[in-house]
Amino acid sequence: MKLNDEKVKNLLKTFLENSDEKILESLKKEISEYIYFFPKVAYKKNTEVCSEFYLYVIERLDKIIKNYPVSAKVKFQTWFNYVLKNNFINFSKYLKGNLRLDLSLEDYQESFRIEVFEEEETSFKDVSYALENIDGEDRVILKLYYIPETIDEKD
């Protein structure tokens, strides 16, 4: 996937001189496919990440384009790869920051306890009965690990 360097540079120069929205739209059309596939080619990301990254960059494209050094003898694609790489790093940090789960406690008035299990808790008698039916060493190991205070002389 390559960019037509001369065409992009000419569009870019005319946009920087005139600030015409039509030129900006044609510039976006010229580089939009490159922006979209950048995460897939560079970082092997899926299409969902590519779409989100595309929107992230398109929102900032005016500022990005205005920072291009027209007088420098740098290929646009080389410069743009550097910019997209930095934007992808910022985009990843942005995504990482938005993945936090915020739980509201406004719905709970008195009790902050949330019942996860619908069944009643297993009683100590049930556990003791289950442990008594296990043979020798296995019973001692389980008791040592889970409830060491129940070990007696029989074990």
Side-chain angles (χ1 to χ4, degrees), residues 92-113:
S92 298
K93 289 177 184 176
Y94 168 77
L95 279 184
K96 199 175 199 180
N98 283 343
L99 291 179
R100 281 185 260 132
L101 181 63
D102 296 327
L103 297 176
S104 170
L105 296 177
E106 295 172 0
D107 298 338
Y108 306 103
Q109 295 173 359
E110 295 176 15
S111 173
F112 289 100
R113 182 176 174 179

Side-chain angles (χ1 to χ4, degrees), residues 31-45:
I31 63 176
S32 64
E33 188 177 341
Y34 193 82
I35 295 169
Y36 179 82
F37 285 108
F38 180 80
K40 188 171 193 164
V41 172
Y43 301 105
K44 298 184 184 345
K45 298 295 181 181

Side-chain angles (χ1 to χ4, degrees), residues 114-132:
I114 300 172
E115 292 295 328
V116 179
F117 302 105
E118 294 178 8
E119 299 176 4
E120 295 180 19
E121 280 190 34
T122 308
S123 69
F124 183 72
K125 289 180 182 178
D126 295 335
V127 174
S128 296
Y129 179 73
L131 286 173
E132 293 303 320

